[in-house]
Amino acid sequence: MEATIRKTIDEVFGVDGALFKANGTQSTTTVRVFERNGDTPAMIDGFVFQPDTLRRVMVWMASGTLPETFAKAKMKRNLMVFGPTGCGKTALISQICARTGRSMFRYQCSEDSEAAQMFGSWKLCRPLLTEEVAAEDQGIIEKGFTGVARAIERLAVSMKRVTGVGPEMTFVDGPVLRWARTPNSILLLDEFDQLPPSVAMSLNGALDGDDILVPETGERVKLAPGCLIVATGNTNGRGSAGGNGGSAALYKGVKRQNIASLDRFFVINAGYLSEPEEKALLQGQVGMAEKAAEAMAKLATSVRGRFLGLNEDAGANGEPLEFTITTRNLLNWGLTHRLLMAMGLDSTNAFKEGLRMTLLDFGSNAERQAVLDAWDNIVGEV
Ligand SMILES: Nc1ncnc2c1ncn2[C@@H]1O[C@H](COP(=O)(O)OP(=O)(O)OP(=O)(O)O)[C@@H](O)[C@H]1O
Ligand SMILES: [Mg+2]
């Protein structure tokens, strides 16, 4: 994959490029944009990039292709983005890839993750049938695909019997090796803080940019140029969700990672978009009227202020909440409102019912009431 063109930050990310101008110079930072391919994520139209976050992302991306003349020291090439649920961490990375045409290989980390799932493993594969055999089977093809499938099955078995060649064990690359072989690609280790620390350590070589030795096959895989790793999570891998420490308790299954693993990452503590940004998102992506979008974004801010996953002293603000309104939920609430109105509810009830089915029914009675009261207050004000 060759770098095709360089574009300005405004063009690629839709943010004000003036913020990225070096002091006293006229030159603007440019972004390498590659030709899209099958592993490039789909674009979300109107995705909002926050300039400060984008700047950190750009520094991290530059680390993949720094010329040797830049410095003798090696720069970190890995980025960790952590923050509350649904604030757009995964979407940020997929949209960076979508806009720059990079391939993205996503691995969903979990407590049960094993190195073999990430790197690759032996799998039983069917043999590829040769052209010749396919030609001999012409008559069967006319009988339809089921007949063909059965014939292939029979053929594979008889070939194995006669020639000894048949379904066999093949080493199939996992996301880490596919990433390592693809220039300028991004390996997304989603929910990295769920990984057992011992499994996370097996990535240290790749995090250091070293060749990957595949013990099963003896192959040595050199990292393709420009490859980068990004990890996301709800906690910083040290047992904190960005609050005073206890806030991580709401995120089940997260582990404290080995400090040596964490040391290899740049870090971004991501947060929800600002109220005006979310208002604009509701108008742009859901088609909400201005007043409604404003009230909804206001409610999100108020609920987040009481969310125990962000603030240990949330109770000081009223009923503390064990759930929050994510950006995901906010957009979903708006869409639900539209559908509920189309199904006969008036707007006032469509807002409440939409909120209930989007998230409130997950809450306790006290939590539900607290949020609905807050909504009534906001609607009364705007
Ligand atoms: N900046 C943004 N611009 C537009 N849409 C956004 C933005 N941030 C988040 N969203 C919307 O919110 C949804 C949720 O985002 P995403 O799944 O990336 O959250 P997350 O932080 O990875 O959450 P989790 O911790 O639960 O994995 C996205 O699919 C997108 O529709
Ligand atoms: Mg995510």
Side-chain angles (χ1 to χ4, degrees), residues 170-193:
T170 306
F171 190 81
V172 179
D173 284 352
V176 175
L177 287 181
R178 291 181 63 204
W179 159 77
R181 297 185 205 276
T182 312
N184 303 305
S185 62
I186 290 186
L187 174 65
L188 172 59
L189 300 167
D190 229 358
E191 317 295 345
F192 181 80
D193 51 356

Side-chain angles (χ1 to χ4, degrees), residues 89-90 190-191 232 328:
K89 303 176 294 293
T90 307
D190 229 358
E191 317 295 345
T232 70
R328 187 189 291 132

Side-chain angles (χ1 to χ4, degrees), residues 77-78 189 192 200 203-210 229 261 264-265:
R77 292 175 57 167
N78 317 297
L189 300 167
F192 181 80
L203 289 162
N204 279 358
L207 290 168
D208 287 341
D210 293 343
I229 298 182
S261 289
R264 289 165 161 80
F265 288 92

